Amino acid sequence: MRNQPEYNILLVEDDPGHAALINRAFESHAHCHLVITATLEQAKSLINHSSPDLIITDVRLPDGHGTELLNPGPGCPTIVMTNYSDEKVAVSAMKSGAADYIVKTQETMTSLPRTASRVMREWRLVIDQKLARERQQRLTAILEATPDLICIANLDGFVTYINQSGRKLLGIGKDEDISRIRLADFHSPADGQKILSEGIPHAIREGMWTDETTFLALNGEKVLTSQVLISHRNNRGDIEFFSTIARDIRHLRAAEERVEYLAYYDTLTGLPNRNELAKRLDMEVSRVKRNQNHGALLFIDLDNFKYINDSMGHPAGDMVLQEMARRLKAHLRGDDTVARLGGDEFIVILSGLSQDGREAVSHAREIANKIRDTIAMECRVHDTELQVTASIGISMITRDEHSGHDLLRFADTAMYQAKREGRNRLEFFSEGMGSDVTRQLELENQLRRALKENQFQLYYQPLVNASMEVIGAEALIRWEHPELGLVSPAEFLDVLETSGQIVEVGGWVIETALKQMTLWLDQGLLSSDFLICINISPRQFLDKQFAENIHSQLERINVPTKNIIMEVTEHNIIHNIDDAIQRMQDLIQRGISFSLDDFGTGYSSLAHLKNLPVSHIKIDRSFVEDICNDTGDQAMVASILALSTHLGLEVVAEGVEELAQFELLKKFNCKYYQGYYFSKPLSDQNMTDYLAKKKPAA
Ligand code: C2E
Ligand code: CA
Ligand code: CA
């Protein structure tokens, strides 16, 4: 027996004779189970319960029309049977969804099994097609919804389908005809060629080909993708068509490139960073070994960047760094490298300077000087003119067996030396510099301990008027080193300044001087207008907390603020005059006065002077030193005094060592004096004795 599917057939027939005839006809079709009912009512309930595969119904039934079973659709085909006179009914039954009809005759009824088989077969076909169509629609929906480009091409490579994402990616209109486009046309010429010569043959051979390819959108935009090309075969094994899926990987690639970039470039300036520098430096070192053409390594450190950052904020600092990076780049040739090491440190590799060692050094010096000059050009940030300078250390890249790392260290050492020598200058590395730097670091450590262990002291040097009466004192720091004894500030102030320790130490100086002042006042040793002069270093002055710290010290220590003078140098203010003025005003409002120290040695003091809220200036010792012999100095001092009188400023001449100097200065109308001629700086105890001796008459 063939294994046929079994069918449940519901026969609705009230004519017993017809029912029997049909039943008999089905008897020889064992796979068809006939259930017979005579009423519409019963038929409906049977349909609900047993869901038959086919319904055969007479139109005329005792309780209604057989066509009623057609709506709503019973979910299976229905054959309607009519009498001769009812043909019209049959037609309308067909319209309502009947699968077929027969006009009852002996013959049509006995051949019903065949009709039933055909109807069920056709029904099955319709259902299958519908399912297939639904499946197809679902697949298409998926293809259309996916963000990847999906495309189908025929054997000749012509596109037969491209999904919505593909159209969007390539800029093809929704209804635009694609049938004349070939798969390879979507690509850049090079990749189109690759698809033809490599992709398609490979897909034919192996079934699939993948690679990264560039699609070319209609607007010319290049789209980097990860592409798969698949060949599809039919049952006989012949290739029928190709499909391709391409994913836009531009974001991915951009992210990868960004990661790569971050690893080797500085984001602020766009310059190579330390990693990239190391690579290039090693390359340069081996190049010099090969072609004997010397190069140079420049270690560039901005001198006053920290001040700018502290006083104007980081965004301004960033702008300065960007500007300096731009200037450096603009200054170099294609083969040279400029990198940012971090902070305010830049490195320049000068490549192929000369095969002659001496000539290479001279070229390096020339270029380094130019770099120093460009950096020193005025720099505008937020409407403020800044002047930035740089200290540059240079190590030559020669045939010597030094690694890039060594060279960097040498240049660093030389840079440090340039700073020590007064900044805004260059220094070539030489053997022997190394130990200087070590000494410097040692000093830093010792100074750190000095504050903790109370090794600092304040000395006081009296200020006098033309009648040699004491009118004030300048506080001067000393370091009582456990082994070296008394160390002069010239030896250690620079280190404090570079390391930033000056902020803390300077705070200590202010505190100590003010406390000393209250002591002398309590002892009745001072007149009420006695001036205490305190030196403020650039870094200390520009510290964010500077004014705040002084305010809080004044809360604790009871000194009249009109007695306090802060001595600042042009170094404090030259970089950002507006900011400096604001800082001074803050304290001036509290009653504190400012004095411009070392006057005459700086930049363009006279020009700035009228804008600065200072009440005193101190003529630098170097002018006083030669005043008796040098007419130039005489003229300078005379004009400073004249101008100051005009501007209402008090002038102090410092470094007066001889009577002759004192006499001459008096002739020029100088009011205040300071120097060994009157007194050397004195320890607090000696100053107390000195004041007691000179005590103003009660
Ligand atoms: P300065 O502010 O110009 O201080 C005057 C310097 O001249 C002092 O040197 C003083 O001892 C010296 N001096 C005074 N009279 C004469 C003289 O007649 N002849 C000669 N040849 N020198 C004289 P000192 O104490 O060595 O200080 C050097 C510099 O260190 C000071 O120069 C000042 O800029 C700085 N300094 C000293 N103490 C402090 C401090 O507490 N804080 C800060 N930030 N700087 C300080
Ligand atoms: Ca001073
Ligand atoms: Ca001075």
Side-chain angles (χ1 to χ4, degrees):
M1 280 270 294
R2 269 189 298 153
N3 200 1
Q4 268 187 315
E6 309 228 317
Y7 296 113
N8 289 316
I9 298 171
L10 176 65
L11 177 64
V12 193
E13 178 55 275
D14 59 328
D15 183 324
H18 289 172
L21 181 67
I22 294 168
N23 194 25
R24 228 181 357 264
F26 273 99
E27 263 171 8
S28 56
H29 297 267
H31 63 285
C32 295
H33 297 293
L34 215 56
V35 176
I36 304 171
T37 170
T39 66
L40 203 54
E41 204 56 41
Q42 215 177 354
K44 283 178 183 167
S45 112
L46 279 166
I47 288 167
N48 279 339
H49 287 107
S50 59
S51 41
D53 299 303
L54 176 71
I55 301 166
I56 304 171
T57 181
D58 192 17
V59 171
R60 288 166 194 265
L61 294 168
D63 53 348
H65 256 275
T67 49
E68 276 182 44
L69 297 175
L70 291 170
N71 48 48
C76 69
T78 305
I79 299 171
V80 174
M81 300 184 292
T82 63
N83 298 319
Y84 260 125
S85 52
D86 289 334
E87 286 214 26
K88 270 207 190 108
V89 178
V91 172
S92 87
M94 288 298 281
K95 278 185 185 156
S96 311
D100 206 350
Y101 77 93
I102 58 165
V103 178
K104 281 184 183 172
T105 62
Q106 176 82 19
E107 202 202 317
T108 56
M109 282 190 282
T110 43
S111 64
L112 255 179
R114 242 187 312 126
T115 311
S117 293
R118 179 178 48 76
V119 163
M120 282 193 291
R121 210 169 44 242
E122 282 169 4
W123 179 266
R124 192 70 259 154
L125 212 63
V126 170
I127 294 281
D128 284 352
Q129 275 170 356
K130 198 171 142 221
L131 284 178
R133 218 170 24 247
E134 278 172 8
R135 200 163 41 226
Q136 173 85 33
Q137 277 165 356
R138 269 200 298 274
L139 286 175
T140 311
I142 292 170
L143 292 185
E144 288 294 310
T146 168
D148 294 339
L149 170 149
I150 297 176
C151 167
I152 297 171
N154 64 20
L155 277 183
D156 300 323
F158 283 99
V159 173
T160 57
Y161 166 82
I162 179 163
N163 69 347
Q164 207 181 318
S165 298
R167 284 178 186 267
K168 218 170 111 193
L169 197 74
L170 301 173
I172 300 172
K174 209 167 161 213
D175 303 313
E176 214 168 300
D177 181 27
I178 46 162
S179 61
R180 303 312 307 159
I181 306 177
R182 296 204 306 173
L183 202 53
D185 299 340
F186 286 150
H187 292 82
S188 65
D191 279 356
Q193 191 52 44
K194 187 160 75 171
I195 298 271
L196 292 176
S197 64
E198 186 191 322
I200 292 178
H202 192 276
I204 292 174
R205 230 170 30 245
E206 311 284 338
M208 187 165 86
W209 173 81
T210 55
D211 202 352
E212 276 178 13
T213 55
T214 303
F215 279 70
L216 212 52
L218 285 181
N219 65 5
E221 193 182 1
K222 288 179 174 163
V223 183
L224 183 70
T225 73
S226 164
Q227 188 180 0
V228 187
L229 184 65
I230 304 166
S231 62
H232 298 265
R233 292 173 190 269
N234 60 18
N235 296 338
R236 294 186 304 279
D238 303 325
I239 291 187
E240 282 206 317
F241 65 95
F242 298 98
S243 72
T244 195
I245 304 172
R247 173 163 294 181
D248 183 348
I249 55 169
R250 282 173 299 177
H251 299 302
L252 200 70
R253 184 49 43 86
E256 281 168 10
E257 278 167 4
R258 182 94 192 128
V259 168
E260 172 91 349
Y261 180 83
L262 286 179
Y264 291 102
Y265 287 85
D266 168 48
T267 44
L268 180 67
T269 60
L271 295 179
N273 67 9
R274 188 184 286 272
N275 295 335
E276 178 69 14
L277 171 72
K279 273 202 312 208
R280 297 200 191 177
L281 188 52
D282 287 343
M283 263 162 55
E284 181 61 21
V285 166
S286 29
R287 178 159 48 205
V288 171
K289 262 184 212 143
R290 254 194 339 271
N291 67 12
Q292 321 264 304
N293 212 346
H294 297 192
L297 182 70
L298 274 50
F299 198 116
I300 303 169
D301 187 293
L302 305 183
D303 292 325
N304 30 26
F305 180 70
K306 179 92 173 76
Y307 306 145
I308 294 168
N309 228 11
D310 288 351
S311 61
M312 300 184 67
H314 284 277
D318 285 353
M319 283 169 75
V320 169
L321 290 174
Q322 282 167 335
E323 171 63 15
M324 293 308 143
R326 204 186 54 70
R327 289 183 188 182
L328 287 172
K329 264 192 288 198
H331 230 76
L332 299 174
R333 300 161 307 165
D335 278 354
D336 300 337
T337 287
V338 51
R340 181 172 173 224
L341 209 53
D344 57 352
E345 296 172 337
F346 295 91
I347 300 292
V348 167
I349 303 174
L350 299 174
S351 186
L353 287 172
S354 171
Q355 295 205 332
D356 176 69
R358 249 194 266 164
E359 199 171 72
V361 168
S362 122
H363 284 336
R365 173 177 292 116
E366 206 175 302
I367 299 171
N369 266 321
K370 275 197 193 134
I371 287 177
R372 201 178 52 106
D373 291 345
T374 15
I375 288 179
M377 273 167 19
E378 293 226 307
C379 169
R380 210 174 173 74
V381 173
H382 299 320
D383 289 340
T384 308
E385 292 287 357
L386 298 174
Q387 201 198 9
V388 180
T389 59
S391 299
I392 305 179
I394 307 170
S395 61
M396 297 305 295
I397 309 173
T398 64
R399 270 153 286 170
D400 295 344
E401 294 290 310
H402 290 304
S403 68
H405 183 78
D406 287 342
L407 292 168
L408 209 55
R409 206 161 42 83
F410 296 160
D412 188 8
T413 304
M415 184 279 293
Y416 211 91
Q417 187 67 23
K419 283 234 190 269
R420 275 167 50 104
E421 300 281 319
R423 305 170 174 212
N424 191 18
R425 51 183 294 138
L426 27 130
E427 205 67 55
F428 279 83
F429 174 75
S430 65
E431 304 290 338
M433 269 185 186
S435 51
D436 282 355
V437 171
T438 324
R439 213 174 309 135
Q440 195 85 357
L441 289 175
E442 222 166 85
L443 204 56
E444 255 178 49
N445 283 332
Q446 291 181 342
L447 282 165
R448 216 159 272 144
R449 212 172 322 126
L451 190 64
K452 264 189 257 157
E453 300 184 355
N454 283 324
Q455 293 169 7
F456 290 120
Q457 289 172 24
L458 278 193
Y459 271 49
Y460 299 88
Q461 186 175 35
L463 262 77
V464 301
N465 60 17
S467 320
M468 286 180 63
E469 292 160 342
V470 188
I471 55 109
E474 176 177 7
L476 294 161
I477 194 167
R478 297 289 178 268
W479 180 18
E480 181 76 57
H481 191 281
E483 287 132 42
L484 304 173
L486 213 54
V487 185
S488 118
E491 309 258 330
F492 62 85
L493 272 172
D494 246 14
V495 183
L496 288 180
E497 184 77 3
T498 352
S499 67
Q501 288 165 285
I502 191 69
V503 174
E504 210 184 332
V505 174
W508 174 86
V509 170
I510 296 170
E511 178 108 8
T512 310
L514 296 185
K515 279 183 178 156
Q516 183 61 63
M517 179 88 176
T518 57
L519 239 94
W520 287 330
L521 281 169
D522 287 350
Q523 293 167 354
L525 293 174
L526 306 180
S527 63
S528 64
D529 48 7
F530 187 90
L531 299 172
I532 182 81
C533 307
I534 301 171
N535 292 288
I536 305 296
S537 93
R539 187 125 174 208
Q540 189 185 358
F541 181 68
L542 289 169
D543 187 71
K544 280 208 181 69
Q545 309 281 333
F546 177 62
E548 208 175 296
N549 288 345
I550 289 172
H551 288 312
S552 85
Q553 278 169 322
L554 289 171
E555 302 285 298
R556 284 183 282 113
I557 307 165
N558 190 21
V559 179
T561 48
K562 70 169 174 46
N563 295 47
I564 304 171
I565 293 192
M566 302 204 148
E567 299 194 357
V568 295
T569 64
E570 281 172 281
H571 291 286
N572 296 45
I573 45 182
I574 199 72
H575 308 303
N576 189 349
I577 297 216
D578 296 336
D579 177 67
I581 291 175
Q582 217 165 15
R583 280 160 185 273
M584 290 167 144
Q585 290 294 6
D586 185 349
L587 293 167
I588 288 169
Q589 259 152 33
R590 282 289 298 248
I592 294 175
S593 306
F594 281 87
S595 171
L596 201 56
D597 206 352
D598 302 341
F599 190 80
T601 58
Y603 304 77
S604 45
S605 328
L606 290 163
H608 290 312
L609 203 54
K610 60 178 189 300
N611 300 321
L612 291 173
V614 296
S615 55
H616 292 67
I617 57 176
K618 289 182 98 169
I619 299 180
D620 191 64
R621 206 165 65 222
S622 56
F623 295 103
V624 175
E625 207 167 29
D626 277 342
I627 198 167
C628 296
N629 310 316
D630 188 323
T631 50
D633 283 356
Q634 269 177 31
M636 177 77 180
V637 172
S639 61
I640 291 173
L641 280 159
L643 180 79
S644 307
T645 316
H646 180 68
L647 293 172
L649 298 169
E650 305 286 8
V651 179
V652 183
E654 62 180 3
V656 181
E657 297 184 351
E658 297 158 11
L659 177 64
Q661 293 166 332
F662 181 42
E663 295 289 338
L664 195 56
L665 286 161
K666 265 202 286 193
K667 231 173 70 189
F668 290 148
N669 277 329
C670 184
K671 257 172 121 177
Y672 302 112
Y673 308 84
Q674 191 181 343
Y676 293 173
Y677 178 67
F678 313 101
S679 168
K680 289 206 165 186
L682 304 168
S683 70
D684 48 4
Q685 190 48 57
N686 288 344
M687 185 67 183
T688 309
D689 296 346
Y690 178 90
L691 288 169
K693 246 186 277 165
K694 301 233 164 188
K695 188 174 167 178

